[in-house]
Amino acid sequence: MPENLAKSLGKSLIEGKTEPVPKNHLHDPKVWDAYRKAWAAGWRPAPIMKPIVIGEGTIVESPQHLRDLVGAAAVPEVMNTKTTFEWEEIDEPVRDIKLCLLDLVEWDKLTKIAELEDGPLIAYLEGAIRQSYRVSALKLSTLTQLNNEAETGRTMN
């Protein structure tokens, strides 16, 4: 068998075994049309919220303190939930925990002024498991700004 024919046959066998790449539903015009119609009818997706631990190993002691840090118009609502684990091998006890939820705008402000670390996994809405976050420290630039504001009487924002 000539070499070119062998290569051609081998190539066709390999190509025949490859599976087609699944079509991404976001590329489907029908999906976008349905989304536009729902949007026009007043539907809005739920906002993305980030759970921030209050108290317990964080410098944020209260919802009012968190509001002051991010400059929010209202005090964030406190959410009581429990810690959880995805693996049964972990022997840590489940405990109660208090959180405040921040939207992405407030989250962005918090990431600019504070050092964040992963908090415990939490039982979230409708049984989902989510990562929570702890504010471990304020960034040095924030502390300097807060000190300057205290001296001048002006506020951050």
Side-chain angles (χ1 to χ4, degrees):
M1 186 179 321
E3 189 175 321
N4 290 343
L5 181 60
K7 284 184 180 179
S8 299
L9 286 173
K11 188 176 178 181
S12 68
L13 286 173
I14 291 171
E15 287 175 352
K17 290 185 179 183
T18 60
E19 295 186 23
V21 177
K23 186 177 178 182
N24 185 339
H25 74 281
L26 292 177
H27 295 161
D28 187 350
K30 293 176 191 169
V31 170
W32 285 102
D33 287 340
Y35 186 86
R36 279 188 213 91
K37 287 177 184 172
W39 186 271
W43 173 84
R44 298 295 182 266
I48 297 171
M49 304 298 277
K50 299 284 189 169
I52 307 297
V53 175
I54 302 296
E56 190 180 305
T58 178
I59 65 167
V60 179
E61 299 168 355
S62 68
Q64 294 81 3
H65 186 204
L66 186 59
R67 177 203 56 204
D68 295 342
L69 284 174
V70 297
V75 175
E77 187 176 324
V78 174
M79 177 178 147
N80 293 309
T81 188
K82 295 189 179 296
T83 59
T84 186
F85 300 96
E86 293 181 294
W87 308 278
E88 291 180 11
E89 302 88 45
I90 295 180
D91 223 8
E92 203 166 314
V94 171
R95 62 188 193 285
D96 292 330
I97 191 166
K98 292 183 183 203
L99 306 164
C100 285
L101 300 177
L102 295 183
D103 64 26
L104 290 181
V105 172
E106 296 164 341
W107 170 259
D108 184 52
K109 289 178 185 176
L110 188 62
T111 60
K112 289 177 181 171
I113 64 168
E115 299 290 334
L116 299 169
E117 59 185 36
D118 290 347
L121 292 176
I122 56 164
Y124 197 62
L125 304 174
E126 298 174 6
I129 295 175
R130 289 274 314 266
Q131 180 69 55
S132 67
Y133 302 92
R134 285 190 176 110
V135 178
S136 57
L138 292 178
K139 293 181 179 176
L140 184 58
S141 60
T142 305
L143 292 173
T144 304
Q145 188 173 1
L146 289 172
N147 287 337
N148 290 341
E149 289 171 5
E151 291 171 7
T152 63
R154 295 185 185 161
T155 59
M156 210 166 84
N157 287 347

